Amino acid sequence: MSRHLGISADRSPKAFDSSPEAPAVVIAPPGVRPRRPNRKLGRYLALAAAGAAAFGAGLYWWEHRSPGIPAGIAWSNGRIEADEIDIQTKFPGRLAALYADEGDHVVRGQILAEMDTRDQVDTLHRDEATARQVEHTLDEARANIDQQQTTVELARKQIARTQSLLKKDYATHELYDQQRQRLDGALAAQTAATARLEQAQQATAAARAQVALDQTNIADNVLFAPSDGRIEYRISKVGEVLGSGGKVFTMLDSSYVYMDVYLPMAEVGKIQIGSEARVVLDALPKAPIPARVSFLANQAQFTPKTVETKSERDKLMFRVRVRLDERRAREFMDSAGIGLPGLTYIRIDPNVAWPSALQPKS
């Protein structure tokens, strides 16, 4: 039996010593060969895993590949952005109410928040009372003017009668002089009344302007959305006391959605403001969005020194901004978000037709 097993018949402990000098021996049952690892199966599994990874990478590339681009179309990558608008207070005060929150879509003119205006309302009531008092003064000045005009007319008629009687010696020169003095006094009083009327008119105008200013200030404590868009951040809470210019919301203007890309000088030189473009987002590869070039940088963006050779000048990169069609931008803001990466395609040759993959869907 010892020869069948291939081991020594010596069963002393030394025969099974597992020290480095004498490695352990595994004894198989009679008639059974020791099992060896299946190395081919491991290789097959490794090849299958590599094939699956390659298939996944290829599928991702296929879904996100750029379509065949003709020579007359330049392209580069970027991220969708929108103008941020800070909704701020005009006057210091306490935030009384909020009518929107983060993520809400708002329309132009929608009320977003209100400030506490009780002190300003009290000021308005005071100024309205002052305006009414000044208006009474104005009415009094107008009545005084009418009275002085009547006095002047009477004095002039008396002088005219005295002059006719004086010619017939039925009146004295002394009487004429007295009536002349009365006319001069009435004219002076009329002049003074006219000046008081002008002062009363100016005071009334100032009081009315103050009331209008109070009303405007109260209205400015109601914060409206300046355009259509989406609330990105809510910065303040109800009850907080804010200073002048305190931020309440930051919103994204859906009427100005754009993507900035960088292109070499050779391509930027062929682009004009208003050139037609397409924006294709990684998240929406089959939905190109119409756009137009709205800005061209006049300086290279990341060249730290002046370069002299043409080969170096050709490496200069310039920032180009394309603005999304406003209607499509509003639809995009409703379905997607700002910050999504994608590609921008700009037609630098107007004679080149857009590939079918870049034709916007109706």
Side-chain angles (χ1 to χ4, degrees):
M1 180 181 294
S2 61
R3 280 195 295 267
H4 286 290
L5 296 176
I7 61 173
S8 173
D10 185 6
R11 298 186 181 276
S12 63
K14 293 182 179 179
F16 299 96
D17 187 5
S18 60
S19 63
E21 291 77 5
V25 178
V26 178
I27 301 176
V32 179
R33 294 183 179 180
R35 188 175 183 179
R36 297 180 179 179
N38 192 340
R39 296 181 179 178
K40 292 184 178 180
L41 178 60
R43 287 197 295 268
Y44 292 152
L45 293 176
L47 290 174
F55 176 77
L59 180 62
Y60 179 85
W61 174 85
W62 177 262
E63 293 180 349
H64 294 80
R65 76 192 189 284
S66 298
I69 303 302
I73 296 178
W75 63 276
S76 183
N77 65 305
R79 289 183 179 273
I80 286 291
E81 301 179 60
D83 274 358
E84 291 187 350
I85 303 175
D86 291 331
I87 309 300
Q88 299 173 299
T89 62
K90 184 177 181 180
F91 306 101
R94 188 182 304 276
L95 186 59
L98 292 173
Y99 303 111
D101 205 347
E102 294 179 355
D104 289 350
H105 289 271
V106 297
V107 297
R108 182 176 183 178
Q110 179 178 337
I111 298 178
L112 304 180
E114 287 183 348
M115 304 295 293
D116 187 355
T117 59
R118 288 176 294 179
D119 54 344
Q120 293 178 320
V121 171
D122 292 340
T123 301
L124 172 62
H125 293 163
R126 182 199 63 190
D127 293 337
E128 286 176 339
T130 302
R132 288 192 295 269
Q133 182 179 1
V134 173
E135 288 175 355
H136 290 316
T137 303
L138 177 61
D139 294 338
E140 183 180 351
R142 288 171 176 167
N144 191 24
I145 283 289
D146 294 338
Q147 181 180 1
Q148 295 302 323
Q149 288 178 346
T150 302
T151 303
V152 168
E153 291 296 327
L154 178 60
R156 285 175 175 169
K157 291 179 180 180
Q158 290 177 345
I159 288 178
R161 286 196 296 268
T162 303
Q163 284 179 338
S164 62
L165 293 175
L166 186 60
K167 293 178 181 179
K168 301 178 181 179
D169 294 332
Y170 292 137
T172 61
H173 288 282
E174 182 180 2
L175 178 60
Y176 175 80
D177 293 338
Q178 291 175 353
Q179 292 177 349
R180 186 67 187 180
Q181 290 177 352
R182 292 192 189 99
L183 176 61
D184 293 341
L187 291 172
Q190 184 183 32
T191 301
T194 302
R196 287 193 294 270
L197 176 62
E198 293 176 356
Q199 292 177 355
Q201 289 174 337
Q202 293 176 358
T204 302
R208 290 173 178 172
Q210 184 61 50
V211 170
L213 178 61
D214 293 340
Q215 293 172 341
T216 300
N217 291 342
I218 292 174
D220 285 341
N221 279 277
V222 179
L223 306 183
F224 297 90
S227 64
D228 295 354
R230 180 164 52 84
I231 300 298
E232 186 177 23
Y233 303 114
R234 177 179 58 81
I235 302 170
S236 302
K237 300 177 182 179
V238 173
E240 291 184 347
V241 177
L242 306 177
S244 178
K247 292 184 181 180
V248 180
F249 294 106
T250 296
M251 65 171 290
L252 298 174
D253 184 2
S254 64
S255 66
Y256 197 92
V257 181
Y258 61 91
M259 179 181 285
D260 286 342
V261 296
Y262 294 88
L263 294 172
M265 182 181 64
E267 294 179 343
V268 172
K270 302 176 183 178
I271 299 174
Q272 298 180 351
I273 299 295
S275 294
E276 194 174 359
R278 298 285 188 271
V279 174
V280 179
L281 301 177
D282 292 349
L284 302 170
K286 297 182 180 180
I289 305 172
R292 291 193 178 274
V293 175
S294 63
F295 171 80
L296 294 172
N298 56 10
Q299 293 183 350
Q301 299 297 305
F302 30 79
T303 300
K305 58 182 177 10
T306 303
V307 293
E308 301 297 338
T309 64
K310 184 179 185 303
S311 60
E312 289 296 320
R313 290 198 302 272
D314 290 342
K315 297 178 182 179
L316 301 181
M317 303 296 285
F318 292 80
R319 182 165 64 96
V320 180
R321 172 171 294 181
V322 296
R323 180 177 176 182
L324 274 62
D325 175 75
E326 187 169 339
R327 182 179 65 85
R328 296 295 182 91
R330 295 179 191 277
E331 297 175 355
F332 169 79
M333 289 280 286
D334 291 337
S335 59
I338 299 302
L340 295 179
L343 297 174
T344 288
Y345 301 87
I346 302 175
R347 186 162 63 178
I348 59 179
D349 184 354
N351 297 321
V352 173
W354 286 104
S356 59
L358 295 179
Q359 293 292 345
K361 305 301 184 292
S362 57

